[in-house]
Amino acid sequence: MTEYNPKERLARALTGQPVDRMPAICVTQTGTVEQMEACGAFWPEANSDAEKMAALAEAGHTVVGFEAVRVPFDITAEAEFFGCEIKEGTKEQQPSVVGHVVKTIEDIEKLKDYDMSEGRINVVCDAIKLLADKYASDLPIMGSMIGPFSLAQHINGDDWFMAIMTNEKFGLALMDFVTDFNVAYAQKMVENGADTMVIIDPTASYQLIGAEFYEKFVVPFHRRIVDAMHEMDVPVVLHVCGDTTKGLSLMETCGVDAISVDQNVDAAAAVSKVEKAVIVGNLDPVNMLWNKTPEAIKEESKKILDAGIGLLAPGCGTVSKTPTENLQAMIEMAKNHTY
């Protein structure tokens, strides 16, 4: 069989084409303290400085061995862009959203005149360009963003889950607004060199909101992003936290190329629930990758691979204190796996 470079291999794997072996990648956040120390780019500065962001993303490849580079490392830049209050992270902890800006449809209207050349979202795009200028011919350049449902929650706050159930007009208006932004942001990332798009939508959970609300408030909006990316020949990976087993078939209807599942999902069950989507995952980032030995990680990786997983990867974002050797154990298992 033809031997592919990492860029070709991942593109083929995500679109259901034959490959020589499994790509060794991580679709969720990749930054760790050991990488920061190796490359000299540390959080929180690496979340807001394009050169440091690119350097830390590059360390995921040069220090750890992932066959892709990926930015950013957190999911708060989009909410910050719209004026939400952000609690700054530390060298070991990511930033978080602590203040919200939208309560009414009128509040949404006030946010519509935005400039995508401003804020951290522009920093992410600049980092992508730096990475693409260096690696675009050989490595996948992954752009990632928070998905529209979770962005709506960041903007609206804890009222969001009640809002979709009691105020459909407001809920759909906010979803329309954030999805338009998501599409424009994704397109800008691609224009700067991203060739793979990852949607991280942690609270867009079938388990949390049920089939009716997922079908109304999530699927059509994910589909708009996927369609826009497919028009640019960019495959899309969707990650939703929690036990998504019962919702996987519905999640797939938005047209995503791959679905990343977390450690609460049985890998074999996940594979059985989808028709075409590649299932990505799902090593426990805390109880396995952070806290176990390389030997234990290889053993657990084999179980997941034997279950038919499409791409071996962490089940959620990499914990910042994860040892490099533990990530390399997972990478080794992926590289040695043929379909």
Side-chain angles (χ1 to χ4, degrees):
M1 178 177 284
T2 303
E3 183 175 341
Y4 299 99
N5 70 26
K7 186 183 184 78
E8 295 167 334
R9 186 178 293 117
L10 181 61
R12 292 179 66 87
L14 288 175
T15 53
Q17 301 177 68
V19 290
D20 50 340
R21 63 164 173 82
M22 180 176 283
I25 54 94
C26 176
V27 302
T28 50
Q29 99 77 19
T30 61
T32 64
V33 173
E34 288 186 8
Q35 292 175 60
M36 296 177 205
E37 292 171 343
C39 73
F42 294 84
W43 293 346
E45 293 82 10
N47 291 324
S48 56
D49 180 287
E51 291 187 358
K52 292 179 180 179
M53 184 182 293
L56 183 53
E58 182 180 25
H61 171 62
T62 59
V63 175
V64 178
F66 286 123
E67 298 179 307
V69 287
R70 179 200 184 280
V71 292
F73 310 105
D74 73 302
I75 54 171
T76 66
E78 300 87 349
E80 182 181 59
F81 179 73
F82 289 114
C84 293
E85 182 183 356
I86 306 298
K87 179 182 178 182
E88 187 176 42
T90 67
K91 186 175 80 169
E92 297 178 355
Q93 188 174 16
Q94 295 175 333
S96 57
V97 178
V98 295
H100 317 284
V101 294
V102 164
K103 293 295 182 184
T104 66
I105 288 179
E106 290 72 27
D107 291 336
I108 299 171
E109 291 298 319
K110 296 174 184 176
L111 297 178
K112 287 188 174 180
D113 187 23
Y114 54 79
D115 182 354
M116 296 195 68
S117 67
E118 298 178 348
R120 276 200 294 139
I121 63 167
N122 193 57
V123 171
V124 172
C125 292
D126 286 345
I128 286 172
K129 189 174 189 313
L130 290 170
L131 292 164
D133 286 347
K134 190 169 185 177
Y135 290 112
S137 62
D138 302 311
L139 286 181
I141 312 294
M142 292 187 179
S144 177
M145 62 183 177
I146 193 170
F149 190 87
S150 299
L151 179 54
Q153 186 201 2
H154 275 176
I155 290 174
N156 184 228
D158 293 338
D159 295 337
W160 176 237
F161 291 102
M162 183 61 68
I164 66 170
M165 297 178 187
T166 62
N167 191 345
E168 181 176 301
K169 182 178 179 181
F170 168 76
L172 291 175
L174 185 51
M175 285 301 299
D176 273 326
F177 170 73
V178 294
T179 303
D180 285 345
F181 164 79
N182 277 128
V183 169
Y185 184 24
Q187 289 170 333
K188 183 172 181 177
M189 283 191 271
V190 174
E191 289 164 0
N192 277 271
D195 54 49
T196 307
M197 189 57 54
V198 182
I199 302 171
I200 307 290
D201 215 345
T203 59
S205 173
Y206 175 101
Q207 187 181 26
L208 287 176
I209 63 176
E212 178 185 352
F213 290 102
Y214 191 93
E215 194 162 12
K216 180 177 292 185
F217 284 93
V218 181
V219 171
F221 303 99
H222 283 172
R223 185 182 296 123
R224 278 163 53 182
I225 302 169
V226 173
D227 288 348
M229 290 295 92
H230 285 174
E231 287 178 5
M232 302 177 83
D233 295 321
V234 173
V236 182
V237 183
L238 171 64
H239 177 83
V240 176
C241 297
D243 185 355
T244 54
T245 307
K246 293 181 179 179
L248 285 168
S249 59
L250 183 56
M251 291 168 66
E252 187 182 22
T253 62
C254 72
V256 290
D257 302 280
I259 299 173
S260 169
V261 296
D262 86 3
Q263 59 275 7
N264 292 298
V265 177
D266 178 79
V271 173
S272 73
K273 295 288 185 179
V274 296
E275 294 184 7
K276 294 182 180 179
V278 175
I279 296 297
V280 183
N282 64 338
L283 281 166
D284 191 319
V286 176
N287 296 320
M288 185 58 60
L289 287 169
W290 177 19
N291 286 310
K292 289 297 195 312
T293 64
E295 291 71 25
I297 291 165
K298 290 179 182 179
E299 182 178 345
E300 184 65 17
S301 295
K302 185 179 186 306
K303 293 177 183 177
I304 294 171
L305 292 167
D306 288 345
I309 206 82
L311 289 170
L312 182 67
C316 199
T318 306
V319 178
S320 64
K321 293 184 179 181
T322 303
T324 295
E325 64 176 357
N326 286 6
L327 294 172
Q328 290 172 336
M330 176 186 70
I331 288 169
E332 178 184 338
M333 294 299 291
K335 286 184 173 182
N336 288 333
H337 184 73
T338 55
Y339 296 100

